[in-house]
Amino acid sequence: MYRYAQKLHHLLWSLLLVSLITATSAQAAEQIDLIIDTDPGADDVVALLFALASPQELNIRALTTVAGNVRLDKTSRNARLAREWAGREDVPVYAGAPKPLMRTPIYAEDIHGKEGLSGVTVHEPKKGLAEGNAVNYLIDTLKTAKPHSITIAILGPQTNLALALIQEPEIVQGIKEVVVMGGAHFNGGNITPVAEFNLFADPQAAEVVLKSGVKLTYLPLDVTHKILTSEACLKQIAALNNNASKLVGGILNEYVKGDMEHYGLSGGPVHDATVIAYLLKPELFTGRSVNVVVDSREGPTFGQTIVDWHDGLKAPKNAFWVESGDAQGFFDLLTQRLARLK
Ligand code: RIB
Ligand code: CA
């Protein structure tokens, strides 16, 4: 009898050990090694709070900043602000390119405000920038990373990664995937009738990234304009009644006004946060692999993403193009993660 009990004890301990190892390795397997490149920017800050509140799935190596919505000094300050608000000063912030590869810089202060973050009061964050430029950080990190191990989320113009690829093309070895908020096909543009802001702000950079051959996913206006704020979802976020929800509420109430007016919509898109939701829960989204070409010629189609959705040209499929998403699922996930913050 004693031997039987001993065997059972041993079996139970082994089962417990196996289930613990499986759970840990499953969680570790799911964790994404991530660099977020960003031009905060109202929706960028929402995306950063979202990502920084999700450490189980996202091992954020660094935030790298670029000029875009506003000038580099303000996008870099706002990235440090988001980091401070999320209580994640463990994540370094590297400042990158102050201007696009070739075109004259454009900004979106009319949408994001002079400070790049309307709807909330900004201040000088306690923790400063990391030493060194974001482009050199990308080169050093990607050159020495394990093969295809690092995901890069780009929430603004693609200038930093393009500069790194031009200087050191072999950094592609370290890149697992690049997930970009940008472009437009079915939806039409938001800065010209055909161009979306991030692409319009630096189309040459987007061409460099496209031609590098990295695994590339686009979340364009086609999907971000289907995931719109609503009274109900803003109430859902406000009901959290923590600092993060008050910040996001203040930011979104101000930020979405422009799009709601321009498009006559009952709510506005939270463009960049869809990239984080895609990384956390890709099943919320649908799309297909397509051939994409960026138009960088001066003229009415400058910055346009030309998407061969029906594969008429039989050209190589160089990007996964997300064209739809579950709005309620997105806001439920965003709310759930904001609840984790102070
Ligand atoms: O067109 C929307 C994109 O342009 C977003 O990334 C927003 O932050 C602006 O950069
Ligand atoms: Ca942005």
Side-chain angles (χ1 to χ4, degrees):
M1 185 60 181
Y2 173 72
R3 280 184 58 72
Y4 171 74
Q6 207 184 23
K7 276 189 180 305
L8 183 62
H9 178 77
H10 180 70
L11 176 67
L12 287 174
W13 268 110
S14 314
L15 282 173
L16 180 66
L17 197 60
V18 164
S19 53
L20 265 177
I21 290 166
T22 317
T24 319
S25 55
Q27 189 186 29
E30 276 154 26
Q31 198 176 44
I32 296 171
D33 250 349
L34 181 66
I35 295 169
I36 303 178
D37 192 80
T38 176
D39 65 333
D43 55 322
D44 301 70
V45 166
V46 178
L48 293 175
L49 293 174
F50 196 1
L52 291 161
S54 307
Q56 290 90 335
E57 297 96 333
L58 305 177
N59 174 32
I60 302 173
R61 304 275 292 260
L63 306 180
T64 53
T65 59
V66 65
N69 286 318
V70 287
R71 284 166 175 71
L72 183 65
D73 60 326
K74 293 210 177 355
T75 59
S76 302
R77 189 267 324 271
N78 293 339
R80 290 163 49 219
L81 261 177
R83 171 180 69 174
E84 185 175 281
W85 284 330
R88 290 294 312 276
E89 292 179 311
D90 56 299
V91 177
V93 178
Y94 292 88
K99 60 183 175 44
L101 292 191
M102 293 170 70
R103 64 152 297 155
T104 45
I106 56 154
Y107 305 102
E109 288 169 2
D110 54 327
I111 304 283
H112 296 263
K114 186 167 67 58
E115 293 301 324
L117 198 50
S118 37
V120 288
T121 310
V122 298
H123 64 269
E124 184 56 24
K126 280 186 292 298
K127 189 165 180 184
L129 288 169
E131 281 295 304
N133 175 288
V135 177
N136 295 335
Y137 168 79
L138 288 169
I139 291 171
D140 298 345
T141 306
L142 297 170
K143 251 172 90 171
T144 55
K146 282 199 235 83
H148 305 296
S149 62
I150 297 184
T151 297
I152 304 173
I154 304 182
L155 312 183
Q158 300 173 40
T159 318
N160 284 336
L161 183 57
L163 285 168
L165 287 163
I166 292 165
Q167 285 174 49
E168 300 275 358
E170 70 275 13
I171 61 169
V172 294
Q173 78 83 32
I175 299 174
K176 177 178 177 186
E177 178 179 19
V178 179
V179 184
V180 167
M181 189 280 134
H185 176 60
F186 297 108
N187 184 81
N190 60 0
I191 193 88
T192 75
V194 293
E196 176 278 328
F197 177 82
N198 288 336
L199 272 282
F200 187 72
D202 198 343
Q204 284 84 2
E207 281 183 305
V208 169
V209 175
L210 257 179
K211 289 177 181 149
S212 72
V214 292
K215 186 180 175 216
L216 187 52
T217 297
Y218 263 79
L219 281 97
L221 299 183
D222 304 352
V223 60
T224 65
H225 278 220
K226 291 175 186 162
I227 297 184
L228 302 175
T229 59
S230 65
E231 285 280 305
C233 78
L234 291 174
K235 277 204 182 99
Q236 181 179 304
I237 291 171
L240 296 176
N241 199 26
N242 62 0
N243 188 48
S245 66
K246 289 177 187 133
L247 288 164
V248 168
I251 290 169
L252 289 184
N253 276 313
E254 203 49 44
Y255 175 60
V256 298
K257 281 179 187 163
D259 279 321
M260 286 170 71
E261 219 169 282
H262 181 71
Y263 294 101
L265 295 169
S266 58
V270 196
H271 304 287
D272 294 334
T274 62
V275 168
I276 307 307
Y278 178 79
L279 290 171
L280 293 173
K281 218 172 171 184
E283 61 273 24
L284 290 176
F285 300 90
T286 57
R288 69 172 68 163
S289 294
V290 293
N291 177 267
V292 183
V293 171
V294 176
D295 188 346
S296 57
R297 298 165 303 170
E298 288 303 322
T301 55
F302 182 79
Q304 181 175 9
T305 41
I306 297 114
V307 175
D308 188 2
W309 185 254
H310 297 291
D311 195 20
L313 302 175
K314 300 288 176 247
K317 299 192 174 45
N318 54 5
F320 186 77
W321 192 264
V322 178
E323 51 78 38
S324 193
D326 169 354
Q328 191 55 52
F330 166 83
F331 282 105
D332 289 347
L333 184 59
L334 173 61
T335 307
Q336 181 209 53
R337 297 305 159 103
L338 292 176
R340 297 176 173 182
L341 299 177
K342 285 200 192 71

